[in-house]
Amino acid sequence: MTMPPDELGLTALVTHARHVPSEEREALAAAAAALGADPRALTIRTCHRVEVYALADSTTPDATSALVLPALPDGGRRLVGDEAVRHLFAVAAGLDSVVVGEDQILHQLRDCLSERHLAGFEGYAGSCAEDGTAGQGDAVLHPVLERLFQIALHVGREARSWRDGPARSLADVALDRVEAAMGPVAGRRLLVVGAGRMGRLAALGIERRGGRPLISNRSADRAATLASDTGGSIAPYGEDEALPEVDGIVLAISSKWVLPPRAVASVIESRTPIVDLSSPPALDAAMRERLGSRYVSVDDLARSPQDEIRERLRRRFERLLDEADGEFQQWVRTRSVVPTIQALADHAETRRADEIDRLFRRAPELDPHERELVEQMSRRLVAGLLHAPLATLNDDATGELERAARALFSI
């Protein structure tokens, strides 16, 4: 019996910064870690989203019970079947991002899938963080999720091949907000705290706009490398270090940004805008409140107006998603019909072998060469008769032919 996506038990728990605060998204990610190395689940975590994809009603040889998924926070969405499939493809294409077509989510999906392919480790958490790291553990992934994410990656690559101009990222949106608060970046010095993927994008953006990036990072070597790559300089990192005079600050770290009391007072008293790309926020709630409107969180950026998509391009995206959806559904149908195809082929082979055995008993005078010729003829005959029916079953779009085959041949 064929099994469309809605019957696979495929479920996506979707939380995005537009509707779910950072702390609640991180709580979902922590709860999803309890799924461990179960091949039926995969969690995507970025600064704007935490999404859990799971085959909630599926079992595997090593797991005989259905998954227990974490509770969904207020504002989150539970997508099932084809709705979950279509959402992932839209995410991979960059259609669900603040910057339509941005590259970071595609990198994240690819890195996350690659991490799951690394076998032989212990303690794998089943999720991938924005910096491309993952826990360690069994790399096995259920074939349905594997195929789903592979198609999603193809969608992402295809969508980005249509790009006209230079790629924009969330870091560019952050710099837009900095410029809205202080004026053009050109000629100004901006502090970038963090030298990971997003910190690098911010530093490169500052350089492109004619600014001078000042890099602060826990690893002095990574800070020096990024500063060298962007024509910037480095600033010390740590709670005992003084804060340099800067015109704007971009935070892109995975931990709290701890400052000495004097630096805290300096930040509060200054007019320096701060954009925090971290999730959870790099500044504590008390300091965020004291900064007021000068502080912009990653959630604030998520609620920015999304890029406009020209109608012609939107239709092209829709066709791409339709094609990918059809490809996945066809794969699911083909995968589910394989047992029927195998059963029909085995049924035909059993009947062929019985008839050949009966013939040889009735014609004992046949020598070995003649018997081999009869065997070859019977195999070619059965293969020829089955070729068209099996090919048709493989392309069965509704499952009706599969059910008919099982009924007709009692398989």
Side-chain angles (χ1 to χ4, degrees):
M1 178 178 179
T2 58
M3 185 176 295
D6 286 1
E7 298 178 15
L8 288 171
L10 177 63
T11 300
L13 304 183
V14 175
T15 60
H16 193 279
R18 297 187 190 99
H19 309 291
V20 181
S22 174
E23 290 83 356
E24 295 184 26
R25 299 196 306 275
E26 295 304 318
L28 174 62
L35 298 174
D38 196 305
R40 299 169 294 173
L42 185 62
T43 301
I44 303 299
R45 173 177 161 263
T46 74
C47 58
H48 270 164
R49 74 180 72 245
V50 172
E51 299 186 355
V52 181
Y53 290 85
L55 297 174
D57 298 329
S58 175
T59 59
T60 66
D62 299 323
T64 57
S65 60
L67 286 176
V68 178
L69 297 180
L72 191 64
D74 291 342
R77 294 184 294 155
R78 179 185 294 268
L79 308 179
V80 178
D82 193 57
E83 194 177 7
V85 170
R86 188 121 184 149
H87 172 76
L88 177 61
F89 293 162
V91 168
L95 295 177
D96 195 48
S97 301
V98 175
V99 180
V100 173
E102 52 94 5
D103 289 335
Q104 284 63 57
I105 185 60
L106 182 59
H107 294 321
Q108 173 63 20
L109 291 176
R110 185 187 62 226
D111 292 347
C112 192
L113 194 60
S114 295
E115 291 292 339
R116 285 301 296 259
H117 292 161
L118 298 177
F121 297 95
E122 296 181 357
Y124 181 70
S127 66
C128 304
E130 183 184 5
D131 59 4
T133 62
Q136 295 176 334
D138 192 351
V140 175
L141 192 61
H142 193 285
V144 170
L145 290 179
E146 173 74 29
R147 185 65 176 182
L148 176 64
F149 275 78
Q150 290 291 353
I151 295 176
L153 291 177
H154 173 75
V155 168
R157 289 190 293 268
E158 178 69 17
R160 282 156 185 82
S161 70
W162 305 337
R163 182 181 292 143
D164 293 330
R168 271 174 57 84
S169 71
L170 188 63
D172 293 303
V173 179
L175 294 178
D176 291 344
R177 294 294 286 267
V178 170
E179 289 191 324
M182 72 173 199
V185 166
R188 308 286 190 91
R189 187 164 73 155
L190 276 72
L191 175 65
V192 176
V193 182
R197 181 174 288 163
M198 194 57 69
R200 170 170 287 275
L201 288 170
L204 289 169
I206 293 168
E207 181 191 28
R208 283 196 305 270
R209 297 180 189 218
R212 293 172 292 155
L214 183 62
I215 313 300
S216 177
N217 191 64
R218 182 179 289 106
S219 167
D221 289 341
R222 293 188 67 183
T225 298
L226 182 54
S228 175
D229 292 344
T230 58
S233 53
I234 61 174
Y237 181 96
E239 57 183 299
D240 298 327
E241 302 294 344
L243 185 69
E245 291 187 9
V246 292
D247 298 298
I249 300 173
V250 177
L251 305 176
I253 53 178
S254 58
S255 59
K256 292 296 183 183
W257 189 39
V258 182
L259 295 170
R262 183 178 300 177
V264 171
S266 174
V267 170
I268 298 299
E269 294 169 3
S270 72
R271 299 172 60 87
T272 306
I274 299 178
V275 180
D276 190 354
L277 295 174
S278 312
S279 181
L283 296 181
D284 61 44
M287 188 167 181
R288 299 199 303 266
E289 184 176 354
R290 295 177 69 185
L291 287 169
S293 62
R294 288 195 292 117
Y295 174 82
V296 177
S297 70
V298 72
D299 289 6
D300 295 328
L301 294 182
R303 291 186 284 269
S304 302
Q306 194 178 34
D307 289 348
E308 292 287 339
I309 306 177
R310 298 190 308 275
E311 184 58 31
R312 182 177 179 182
L313 182 58
R314 183 177 295 279
R315 290 196 299 270
R316 193 174 184 184
F317 275 124
E318 288 298 323
R319 287 195 298 271
L320 177 62
L321 298 190
D322 288 343
E323 291 170 1
D325 195 6
E327 179 183 348
F328 180 68
Q329 293 199 39
Q330 178 60 34
W331 179 85
V332 170
R333 286 191 293 265
T334 299
R335 182 173 182 269
S336 63
V337 81
V338 165
T340 299
I341 292 175
Q342 186 62 54
L344 181 55
D346 290 345
H347 177 75
E349 172 58 23
T350 299
R351 292 298 304 272
R352 183 202 68 82
D354 288 346
E355 291 301 321
I356 289 296
D357 184 61
R358 185 177 295 107
L359 172 65
F360 288 166
R361 288 199 304 270
R362 296 178 62 182
E365 69 277 7
L366 294 176
D367 62 36
H369 176 67
E370 291 170 330
R371 288 176 175 243
E372 179 60 27
L373 290 177
V374 172
E375 281 275 3
Q376 291 178 9
M377 179 276 297
S378 66
R379 292 182 188 279
R380 286 197 301 270
L381 179 62
V382 170
L385 290 172
L386 285 181
H387 176 74
L390 295 185
T392 302
L393 275 176
N394 195 53
D395 294 333
D396 182 17
T398 64
E400 294 180 2
L401 296 178
E402 180 192 4
R403 289 190 289 272
R406 287 189 172 276
L408 287 169
F409 294 97
S410 300
I411 56 176

